[in-house]
């Protein structure tokens, strides 16, 4: 299936031409023969040729073929009003099909295995369990390229170390995340900001929040660079085994590099700095915080078919014994069968729904 990009009324449309239905070298000869038969015999040659040449000139962009993998996702915008006659998929018009944007195309659901160790584990614990997530994004002010995103996730985990159990503390943890925010993609630039809220039940019940922001630039249609920042919003007090402690998120900033492969796989790596995190230990007592630690991580999304993709994230804060070791891996379901293209769309979510990988919790005794 070959594809061509054409410009119509200020909007860029994606067209598909089926060569299997009509052979490539048959159409021009057939159209030419039909024109010759319909022309009046007394028509002068120059009068016959001029309209045809003008028609070709007016629509020359239709004959300029361009590989789809050379089209940046931030440069492709699908005009909603041009698809008023269909709700999703393609609008057929003769040999040309126009792709339509479904209003729920950015709806997705994830189920994953989650593993986490953070400063809030007080130096003696780790957790492993299940993560479920729902996410949605859509245009808010489409004319200006502004969209919104919202999502929610829950994790149920069990202690992977017996220390909490031996100390008489809770051995399970429940976390609920809510993320909402705005973003804008225009030309090669993109910017977005979200607020993350976490409710947690473990050795105590706490509520925390943070802000995340991201700015990115498309070096090429397949390669993206940018900066991501996480900033503490509010903390909460908790009680661990009769001792009062404070839980809070960690402030950090990182540089990332993302690449979209021809296979449809998306991969990202990042490197950055965390301002500080606690190194206290439940067995050995309080300790000074570790300042300016390095953080690095990665994520990937690999479509398996039209509806399913494999997705994973990891985020690691040094040193490993007191920092964070967070990761999850699972399957994403796209109900509208656009697993291979959803993450390349203009109104795809700018930032993922919060998870332990993007919501690191510090403990201050």
């Amino acid at each position: 299936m070959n594809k061509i990009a054409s410009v119509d009324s200020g909007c860029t449309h994606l067209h598909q031409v089926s060569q299997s239905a009509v052979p490539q070298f048959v159409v021009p000869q057939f159209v030419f023969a039909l024109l010759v038969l319909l022309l009046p015999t007394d028509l002068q040659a120059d009068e016959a040729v001029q309209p045809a040449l003008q028609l070709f000139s007016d629509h020359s962009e239709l004959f300029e073929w361009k590989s789809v993998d050379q089209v940046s996702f931030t440069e492709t915008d699908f005009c909603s009003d041009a698809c008023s006659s269909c709700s999703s998929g393609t609008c057929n018009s003769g040999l040309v099909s126009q792709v339509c944007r479904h209003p729920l195309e950015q709806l997705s659901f994830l189920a994953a295995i989650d593993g986490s160790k953070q400063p809030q584990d007080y130096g003696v614990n780790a957790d492993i369990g299940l993560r479920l997530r729902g996410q949605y994004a859509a245009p808010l002010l489409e004319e200006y390229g502004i969209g919104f995103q919202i999502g929610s996730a829950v994790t149920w985990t069990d202690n992977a170390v017996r220390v909490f159990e031996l100390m008489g503390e809770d051995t399970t943890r429940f976390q609920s995340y809510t993320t909402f925010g705005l973003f804008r993609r225009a030309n090669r630039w993109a910017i977005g900001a979200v607020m993350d809220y976490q409710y947690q039940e473990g050795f105590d019940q706490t509520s925390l929040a943070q802000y995340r922001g991201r700015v990115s630039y498309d070096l090429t249609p397949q390669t993206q660079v940018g900066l991501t920042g996480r900033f503490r919003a509010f903390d909460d007090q908790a009680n661990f085994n009769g001792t009062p402690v404070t839980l809070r998120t960690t402030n950090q900033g990182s540089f990332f590099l993302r690449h979209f492969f021809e296979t449809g796989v998306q991969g990202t790596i990042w490197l950055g700095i965390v301002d500080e995190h606690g190194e206290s230990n439940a067995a050995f007592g309080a300790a000074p915080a570790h300042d300016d630690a390095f953080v690095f991580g990665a994520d990937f999304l690999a479509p398996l078919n039209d509806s399913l993709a494999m997705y994973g994230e990891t985020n690691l804060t040094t040193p490993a014994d007191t920092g964070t070791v967070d990761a999850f891996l699972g399957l994403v379901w796209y109900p509208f069968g656009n697993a291979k293209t959803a993450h390349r769309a203009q109104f795809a979510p700018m930032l993922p729904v919060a998870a332990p990988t993007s919501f690191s919790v510090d403990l201050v005794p």
Side-chain angles (χ1 to χ4, degrees), residues 12 32 46 80 98-99 117 124 241 257 260 281 284 293 360 365:
T12 304
F32 177 75
D46 58 339
S80 301
Q98 179 178 302
V99 178
K117 183 194 76 68
V124 295
N241 207 30
L257 172 67
F260 300 93
N281 187 286
F284 298 99
S360 303

Side-chain angles (χ1 to χ4, degrees), residues 219-238:
L219 292 176
T220 72
Q222 286 80 41
T223 304
Q224 219 177 60
V225 295
L227 298 172
T228 304
R230 307 178 193 174
F231 310 96
R232 186 179 305 125
F234 58 80
D235 53 21
D236 201 357
Q237 305 301 308

Side-chain angles (χ1 to χ4, degrees), residues 117-124 232 246-251 274-282 285-293 317-324 360-365:
K117 183 194 76 68
Q118 300 184 345
Q120 69 167 326
D121 290 301
Y122 226 163
V124 295
R232 186 179 305 125
T246 298
L247 297 185
R248 63 184 187 178
T249 63
T250 59
N251 297 325
V274 177
D275 64 349
E276 65 174 12
H277 69 268
E279 293 196 312
S280 297
N281 187 286
H290 189 288
D291 294 327
D292 301 328
T317 301
T318 59
D321 57 348
T322 60
T324 68
S360 303
V361 180
D362 192 16
L363 184 147
V364 181

Side-chain angles (χ1 to χ4, degrees), residues 34-110:
L34 185 62
L35 288 174
V36 170
L37 291 175
L38 294 178
L39 288 175
T41 55
D42 59 345
L43 193 63
Q44 298 297 323
D46 58 339
E47 294 177 347
V49 173
Q50 189 60 34
L53 291 177
Q54 186 62 43
L55 180 65
F56 179 88
S57 177
D58 292 343
H59 299 84
S60 59
E61 69 273 13
L62 295 175
F63 298 87
E64 297 174 0
W65 293 76
K66 187 176 183 181
S67 174
V68 143
D69 58 13
Q70 296 177 355
V71 182
S72 171
F73 71 99
T74 56
E75 296 173 352
T76 304
D77 185 18
F78 303 108
C79 304
S80 301
D81 55 351
C83 290
S84 58
S85 60
C86 67
S87 59
S88 64
T90 59
C91 300
N92 296 316
S93 177
L95 299 178
V96 177
S97 296
Q98 179 178 302
V99 178
C100 299
R101 182 197 293 124
H102 193 286
L104 297 179
E105 69 174 14
Q106 290 301 328
L107 179 66
S108 65
F109 302 93
L110 173 140

Side-chain angles (χ1 to χ4, degrees), residues 105 107 305-308 333-342:
E105 69 174 14
L107 179 66
N305 53 38
D306 291 337
S307 298
L308 292 176
W333 174 48
Y334 295 86
F336 297 94
N338 57 339
K340 298 177 181 179
T341 59

Side-chain angles (χ1 to χ4, degrees), residues 235-267:
D235 53 21
D236 201 357
Q237 305 301 308
N239 187 294
F240 179 85
N241 207 30
T243 302
V245 295
T246 298
L247 297 185
R248 63 184 187 178
T249 63
T250 59
N251 297 325
Q252 56 186 277
S254 59
F255 169 83
F256 74 87
L257 172 67
R258 171 171 290 171
H259 189 75
F260 300 93
F261 296 88
E262 294 181 0
T263 57
V265 174
Q266 163 192 310

